[in-house]
Amino acid sequence: MRFTLRVRGAAPPETVWQRYVQPALWPTWAPQIRSVDTEPELRAGMRGRLLPKAGPAVRFVVTAVDHEERTWSWRVQTGPVRMQLWHAVRPCKGSATTTELRIEGPLLVVAAYAPLARRALHHLVRP
C-alpha cells in the first residue's frame, strides 16, 4: 500500500530540514521515537537503529538525500516487516512550510503508522 501525508506549519523550511538532517533531533519532534543510534548527519547509505517508545527496535538505511531539493528517503525494517518512506520539505507563502511523507508497505502496518506519522509531522513544522 502507498499512502501520502502533507502537513503545513509555520516553521521555516530550513528549520524543518535541519530537524530531519540531524537524527539526534528526531525524538524532539516525533513523539513515538525514544532514541536514534546512527551518524550525526543524514546521508545516503547511512545505517542505524531507531528505538520507539513502544515496540521493537527498527533498523534503517537511508537510500537518498538531496539537500538542495530538501528530500530524502529510507527503508525501515523490524522483524519481517519492511517499509519505504520518502520525505520532502517545501516552502509555502511567507516563511511557512509543507512537509510531505509517502509511506509504502503492508496495508495494516501503513494504516497503524499513519496517525503517528501525522502527529510527528505536525510537531516537525511547528516554530
Side-chain angles (χ1 to χ4, degrees):
M1 171 185 189
R2 179 184 286 183
F3 185 74
T4 302
L5 295 165
R6 286 179 193 85
V7 176
R8 183 179 172 160
E14 186 56 34
T15 298
V16 174
W17 182 243
Q18 286 305 310
R19 290 173 182 168
Y20 269 142
V21 170
Q22 298 174 53
L25 294 179
W26 295 356
T28 67
W29 56 266
Q32 72 273 22
I33 297 175
R34 180 183 319 224
S35 65
V36 181
D37 181 20
T38 192
E39 300 173 30
E41 187 166 318
L42 206 61
R43 68 169 182 81
M46 181 177 89
R47 295 180 179 274
R49 191 172 74 129
L50 182 147
L51 295 174
K53 290 194 176 169
V58 177
R59 292 181 313 201
F60 66 85
V61 61
V62 175
T63 54
V65 178
D66 186 331
H67 291 280
E68 194 170 305
E69 293 294 320
R70 294 189 184 120
T71 62
W72 71 284
S73 60
W74 57 330
R75 284 190 314 263
V76 301
Q77 180 175 352
T78 185
V81 178
R82 295 179 184 194
M83 292 196 316
Q84 177 76 29
L85 298 97
W86 176 87
H87 301 266
V89 174
R90 307 282 186 230
C92 297
K93 277 188 172 183
S95 65
T97 300
T98 296
T99 188
E100 182 177 344
L101 167 60
R102 185 174 59 231
I103 310 164
E104 294 181 29
L107 173 64
L108 293 177
V109 177
V110 172
Y113 180 66
L116 297 172
R118 181 178 301 281
R119 182 173 176 219
L121 293 178
H122 278 285
H123 288 279
L124 176 66
V125 297
R126 283 186 184 161

